[in-house]
Amino acid sequence: MTDDAAENADDAVDRIIGQWHREMPELELDSMALFGRIHRISQKLGARLHALRSEKGLGRNEFDVLATIRRSGEPYTLSPKEISAAMMLSSGGLTGRLDKLESAGFVERLPDPGDRRGIKVRMTPLGREVIEDSVRIGIDAQNEALAPLTAKERDQLGALLRKLHAGFEDQPFD
């Protein structure tokens, strides 16, 4: 299929929009079509990334914790409070994730040398290997998903999504 044919082919969202248009012709449905496609792309790519990460022994939650620690830089050690703050997560929500990661050998809990009551979470070499492999694999999958777009189209899409995202920053949707 040529690029023009792909752009003009009806998809599932077009069919849904057509049904709504038939039932409620007075509605302007462009926003429904746009967000419908954004949602479907996100769902499909999310499922693909989940499957790839699962092969490495990571669920989404565990991936997010390891990624947070890895992004922090050497020595790849953070307090649970720092991890929770970076992830906007409660300490209770973090504990189970850390338990899974520790039992898999991806992190270890150590006493905090600066606070007798505190602990630090340090990524193990195995954890670093797993998160770096998972990030690389994920980027490859994302690039594969973007393959139908030219570099210019990717830049345009990025700029438009950044602008749209900025409009949501002050919205109470969370």
Side-chain angles (χ1 to χ4, degrees):
M1 183 180 294
T2 66
D3 287 345
D4 288 339
E7 285 180 34
N8 294 323
D10 279 356
D11 62 12
V13 174
D14 289 322
R15 290 186 290 280
I16 291 167
I17 296 301
Q19 291 168 335
W20 278 116
H21 184 71
R22 182 189 69 234
E23 296 300 316
M24 300 179 77
E26 74 279 7
L27 293 180
E28 172 53 56
L29 301 170
D30 289 348
S31 60
M32 181 186 280
L34 288 169
F35 283 103
R37 286 188 178 92
I38 289 170
H39 177 74
R40 284 170 176 258
I41 291 166
S42 178
Q43 292 293 308
K44 288 179 179 185
L45 184 58
R48 176 79 175 123
L49 293 174
H50 175 72
L52 293 169
R53 291 171 183 157
S54 293
E55 292 173 9
K56 297 288 183 181
L58 295 176
R60 177 182 176 164
N61 295 334
E62 294 77 31
F63 173 87
D64 289 343
V65 173
L66 279 185
T68 298
I69 297 170
R70 177 61 182 89
R71 287 191 318 264
S72 73
E74 288 191 57
Y76 311 119
T77 303
L78 295 172
S79 70
K81 186 175 184 177
E82 291 169 320
I83 297 169
S84 292
M87 295 180 62
M88 297 180 283
L89 183 67
S90 71
S91 60
L94 180 60
T95 300
R97 296 173 190 196
L98 291 177
D99 290 345
K100 287 181 183 177
L101 289 167
E102 189 172 36
S103 68
F106 298 154
V107 301
E108 56 187 350
R109 292 176 171 122
L110 305 169
D112 184 343
D115 178 359
R116 287 190 323 205
R117 297 170 294 155
I119 65 165
K120 291 284 190 176
V121 179
R122 180 172 62 195
M123 182 180 299
T124 65
L126 176 61
R128 182 175 173 188
E129 178 183 328
V130 165
I131 193 61
E132 289 178 0
D133 285 349
S134 295
V135 169
R136 284 185 186 95
I137 290 167
I139 289 174
D140 288 346
Q142 291 166 347
N143 285 331
E144 183 180 313
L146 291 170
L149 303 179
T150 66
K152 182 179 179 182
E153 289 170 330
R154 286 183 189 201
D155 289 344
Q156 291 170 329
L157 180 60
L160 292 170
L161 289 173
R162 186 177 294 109
K163 184 176 181 179
L164 183 60
H165 185 259
F168 280 82
E169 289 296 310
D170 296 329
Q171 298 296 321
F173 295 125
D174 292 331

